Amino acid sequence: MTTPLTLTDERRPDGTPVLVAEGEIDMSNVGDFRAAVDRAVDGAGRLVVDLTAVDYLDSAGLAALFAHAPRLELIAPPLLDPVLTVSGLADLATVRIT
């Protein structure tokens, strides 16, 4: 069974791509998440990934983010702060906890 995940592509007024994720990111749906991140970051100098509506992020989801970490700005809820910090992703990507 695939865990529910909604992915939406947006753009900031300055043209920066934003990928908004809602739900849970785990091994059951990481293929869709990885494809969305890869597609959004392709050709972009920087990608904002809005995780504020993500309730769960496992190691498969982290791996998808690590692949592009230096080019990412992650907006995340306090719930994900420990995962992003302990994994080391917060040292490689820009992270804003909201």
Side-chain angles (χ1 to χ4, degrees):
M1 184 166 109
T2 302
T3 305
L5 175 65
T6 303
L7 300 166
T8 308
D9 293 313
E10 299 179 357
R11 290 218 175 258
R12 286 186 171 170
D14 67 359
T16 303
V18 178
L19 176 63
V20 179
E22 182 178 345
E24 297 183 3
I25 303 170
D26 62 21
M27 63 186 298
S28 74
N29 59 26
V30 74
D32 293 337
F33 180 66
R34 178 177 284 116
V37 171
D38 290 347
R39 184 176 51 251
V41 82
D42 186 40
R46 192 131 182 91
L47 171 64
V48 176
V49 181
D50 185 341
L51 302 170
T52 55
V54 170
D55 302 319
Y56 179 78
L57 177 67
D58 76 359
S59 59
L62 286 170
L65 295 171
F66 265 106
H68 302 287
R71 298 174 63 189
L72 298 181
E73 176 185 339
L74 305 174
I75 303 170
L79 175 70
L80 297 183
D81 187 27
V83 171
L84 298 174
T85 301
V86 170
S87 69
L89 189 58
D91 295 330
L92 302 174
T94 302
V95 177
R96 286 191 355 218
I97 303 300
T98 59

